[in-house]
Amino acid sequence: MVTRDPSILVAHSEKTVLPKLEFFHSIGMPPHDIALVTSRTPRILRCSLENCIIPFYGYLKNLLQSDEKAITVLKQARNFFLQVGLRQLPPNVAILKKYGVNESIISSLTVHYPESLMMRSDDLVKIVNRVIELGMDVSKYVFVRAINVLHCMSKSTWEARKNAYHKWGWSESDIHMAFSIQPECMRLSEKKLMSVMEFCVNEMNCEAKAIARHPTVLLYSLEKRIMPRCRVVKLLMVKGLIEGPYNLVSLLVMTDKTFSERFVMKYDSIPGLLDVYHGKLSLQDLGIDSSELAKAKLV
């Protein structure tokens, strides 16, 4: 706290600091959350309680219709929240309503990505127009995530991710489709993006464009989830123990327990299967060549 704001040491404990702590306690903020907020953003203790903190909290409570949600936003507060919150939130909320965004979607954006509503209003208009041009439905929760992604990305980063997907044969429409399904696919590092595509397309013989239809695949851990699950299923298909093709997404979204029960424990007597699942062996280590793998389709 002192490192972030040394001037807190000279703040009057009873007149300046204590009233804020008492207010946070009065609205139901647990002690550990009070400690978190004040240590992360100590300047909040020097903001005006009457002119800044209380009005900001009151606006949030009225907007979200919930003390709990308002506290959730307050816990994320940074210095600029309190400086621009009351100035930017009302006009930005009005802009979203003008575009037909319903209250539940606005509430979700405020609670989960409050920084996205602290931007300049003209910038918000540009982002909303861009999201709509990319085919997003303002009534869906994915709209909220798209706003946040575009708010956090520079144009150069967006273009770099587009170019990375183009290298795998994705068209503009493929990229727009993937973004409309899973906006976070555009925020992945190029290294992460390329490694997942490399494995799924080159080793698992999955069509690159199929991943555009199921971009959630790109967000999973390659080493902990994608590789072991795909290799196990491919092994079982090559052995003729299960019939394909299998949907890649359905395999990856299963819980660990469900996947293990359906594809691992049931066939744990198959030589090498457990080692493949735990990443100790590759399919090539078991003597399975690329032509056999190509016949075992994941779509």
Side-chain angles (χ1 to χ4, degrees):
M1 179 186 291
V2 174
T3 302
R4 292 180 176 178
D5 186 10
S7 64
I8 196 68
L9 290 174
V10 298
H12 197 291
S13 59
E14 292 187 2
K15 293 182 179 180
T16 303
V17 176
L18 184 59
K20 279 84 171 185
L21 299 179
E22 291 176 336
F23 173 73
F24 293 144
H25 177 72
S26 72
I27 62 176
M29 189 180 289
H32 65 274
D33 285 337
I34 295 176
L36 175 66
V37 170
T38 54
S39 62
R40 187 174 57 192
T41 313
R43 193 169 296 181
I44 198 172
L45 294 173
R46 295 194 294 107
C47 288
S48 169
L49 184 62
E50 292 76 15
N51 299 326
C52 188
I53 297 175
I54 290 177
F56 182 62
Y57 177 77
Y59 178 80
L60 289 173
K61 182 179 177 181
N62 182 61
L63 174 67
L64 303 172
Q65 295 295 298
S66 165
D67 284 298
E68 183 179 354
K69 289 180 179 179
I71 291 173
T72 297
V73 177
L74 202 60
K75 286 193 298 185
Q76 302 177 61
R78 299 291 190 271
N79 293 332
F80 75 92
F81 269 42
L82 300 173
Q83 295 168 2
V84 306
L86 284 173
R87 185 174 72 246
Q88 290 301 129
L89 271 175
N92 285 346
V93 167
I95 287 170
L96 293 176
K97 289 182 177 179
K98 184 178 178 180
Y99 278 90
V101 182
N102 63 46
E103 291 184 358
S104 65
I105 298 297
I106 293 174
S107 175
S108 181
L109 182 61
T110 307
V111 171
H112 297 291
Y113 309 110
E115 292 184 17
S116 296
L117 284 175
M118 303 295 180
M119 72 178 93
R120 287 163 49 102
S121 295
D122 55 341
D123 290 333
L124 178 62
V125 169
K126 291 175 183 177
I127 287 178
V128 171
N129 284 334
R130 192 173 170 200
V131 169
I132 292 173
E133 288 171 3
L134 290 169
M136 311 294 278
D137 185 342
V138 300
S139 68
K140 305 295 183 183
Y141 176 66
V142 71
F143 174 80
V144 168
R145 290 156 45 210
I147 291 288
N148 180 61
V149 167
L150 290 183
H151 170 61
C152 296
M153 289 184 73
S154 65
K155 289 184 178 179
S156 61
T157 301
W158 176 270
E159 291 301 319
R161 295 300 170 271
K162 279 178 55 178
N163 290 335
Y165 286 120
H166 284 321
K167 292 177 183 177
W168 290 98
W170 285 21
S171 64
E172 286 291 316
S173 61
D174 290 328
I175 293 171
H176 292 177
M177 175 176 62
F179 179 75
S180 69
I181 297 169
Q182 185 59 265
E184 287 79 6
C185 71
M186 296 301 289
R187 290 190 67 185
L188 296 172
S189 70
E190 189 166 346
K191 180 180 178 181
K192 161 75 169 173
L193 183 162
M194 297 300 281
S195 62
V196 173
M197 294 293 287
E198 179 80 24
F199 175 79
C200 291
V201 175
N202 293 343
E203 184 171 338
M204 292 293 106
N205 307 108
C206 181
E207 292 183 6
K209 284 182 175 286
I211 298 175
R213 296 191 293 272
H214 306 291
T216 301
V217 167
L218 296 162
L219 274 59
Y220 291 121
S221 168
L222 182 61
E223 293 77 15
K224 296 179 180 179
R225 197 178 192 96
I226 299 175
M227 283 182 170
R229 292 192 179 193
C230 288
R231 286 171 173 166
V232 163
V233 171
K234 281 271 190 176
L235 175 59
L236 295 176
M237 292 169 70
V238 168
K239 294 289 186 182
L241 297 171
I242 60 175
E243 293 184 4
Y246 265 87
N247 181 272
L248 184 61
V249 175
S250 67
L251 293 174
L252 295 177
V253 299
M254 288 181 192
T255 64
D256 288 335
K257 182 175 184 293
T258 300
F259 183 86
S260 180
E261 289 174 349
R262 289 185 59 180
F263 298 104
V264 181
M265 304 311 297
K266 188 177 178 180
Y267 302 101
D268 61 0
S269 61
I270 303 301
L273 185 140
L274 289 177
D275 285 332
V276 168
Y277 185 56
H278 294 297
K280 297 177 180 178
L281 290 175
S282 68
L283 297 180
Q284 288 77 10
D285 292 332
L286 297 178
I288 300 174
D289 60 35
S290 58
S291 62
E292 291 179 289
L293 290 175
K295 296 175 183 177
K297 293 287 187 180
L298 294 176
V299 296

